[in-house]
Amino acid sequence: MMWPLIEGYGRQSWAFLPLIVAGRTMGTWMAAFSHPVAFTPDERSVLATVARMLAQALARAGVAESERELSRGLQRSMMPSLGPGIPGMSVAARYVPTGGGLQVGGDWYDLIPLPGASPPQSRAAGGSRWSSETSRAMTYGRPG
């Protein structure tokens, strides 16, 4: 007799395996078969190995996503504003995020109005700073 909720799937055998990484259960993998399976010791071993590999892959994907979000947040927090306008001059900026990983940083610029110049003039200064370590990026990205 099958549970009413699973009858519609047309499966005869089910295997439920814990997804464990570093001693922590992160979920369950369910494998369903359309025919009855007795699960020999070898089949159980294969299923357990696949479950371990799946758990590790999911854990790595979660870490990578966390690192990407941290990197994006740091990058956004370090983006400069355009600052005060310069009379007689239009200024624009464009934000282009880094290529990936935990690289944080990018190009910086400053427009410096020249006092007393007629017509109004300014000079531009710029540079670049990259870090592959978030702790360094946080230190270099601090104002002041």
Side-chain angles (χ1 to χ4, degrees):
M1 175 162 165
M2 272 195 233
W3 295 336
L5 293 175
I6 63 171
E7 284 182 29
Y9 291 100
R11 301 294 182 236
Q12 298 294 314
S13 298
W14 304 77
F16 296 87
L17 295 109
L19 300 176
I20 301 170
V21 175
R24 186 179 68 94
T25 302
M26 60 185 305
T28 303
W29 173 46
M30 177 191 65
F33 301 86
S34 59
H35 56 279
V37 179
F39 298 115
T40 66
D42 285 345
E43 290 169 330
R44 290 178 188 194
S45 177
V46 167
L47 288 170
T49 299
V50 170
R52 277 192 303 275
M53 293 169 65
L54 179 58
Q56 291 171 4
L58 290 171
R60 282 192 302 271
V63 167
E65 182 59 29
S66 295
E67 289 174 347
R68 273 191 299 278
E69 283 302 313
L70 173 62
S71 179
R72 283 187 201 122
L74 274 171
Q75 190 78 35
R76 279 191 300 270
S77 70
M78 291 192 286
M79 285 191 327
S81 63
L82 284 176
I86 298 173
M89 180 177 262
S90 296
V91 180
R94 186 176 84 160
Y95 169 67
V96 180
T98 62
L102 282 182
Q103 291 186 347
V104 177
D107 297 336
W108 58 268
Y109 61 89
D110 203 353
L111 292 174
I112 305 156
L114 298 176
S118 183
Q121 296 179 15
S122 69
R123 294 294 180 257
S128 185
R129 179 67 185 147
W130 293 92
S131 178
S132 59
E133 297 177 33
T134 54
S135 59
R136 271 199 189 145
M138 290 166 62
T139 300
Y140 290 125
R142 288 190 187 132

